[in-house]
Amino acid sequence: MKVTIDRMQCVACGSCWDTCPTLFVQNEKDSFSEIVEEFRENGDLGTSVALPGTIDCARDAADLCPSQIIALVE
């Protein structure tokens, strides 16, 4: 599974990084959510590489996002 974030639509509520801190973090400069560096695809703040099966909190984060900006690609 891969994850994408539409960062420009992020409202910086914190639900994703609170729910899944293994994958999401708040950007210090613009306050929006981003993929943690370890899992970024080619350095893209909003796109992950294929994630290991041990990161199952991504689905919960996507479900809890009030802006619905987190997409999961199976």
Side-chain angles (χ1 to χ4, degrees), residues 20-74:
C20 193
T22 305
L23 183 59
F24 301 100
V25 67
Q26 184 177 29
N27 182 288
E28 292 180 6
K29 293 182 181 173
D30 64 18
S31 298
F32 300 141
S33 180
E34 66 184 36
I35 304 292
V36 296
E37 189 171 1
E38 176 184 357
F39 296 113
R40 289 180 196 154
E41 184 172 73
N42 299 319
D44 184 344
L45 301 178
T47 305
S48 79
V49 296
L51 299 171
T54 56
I55 301 181
D56 54 359
C57 58
R59 192 171 310 282
D60 292 334
D63 289 343
L64 292 171
C65 177
S67 302
Q68 295 296 289
I69 60 160
I70 301 170
L72 308 176
V73 181
E74 301 290 336

Side-chain angles (χ1 to χ4, degrees), residues 7-21:
R7 294 187 73 251
M8 298 313 296
Q9 300 302 314
C10 180
V11 295
C13 70
S15 65
C16 63
W17 58 78
D18 286 342
T19 303
C20 193

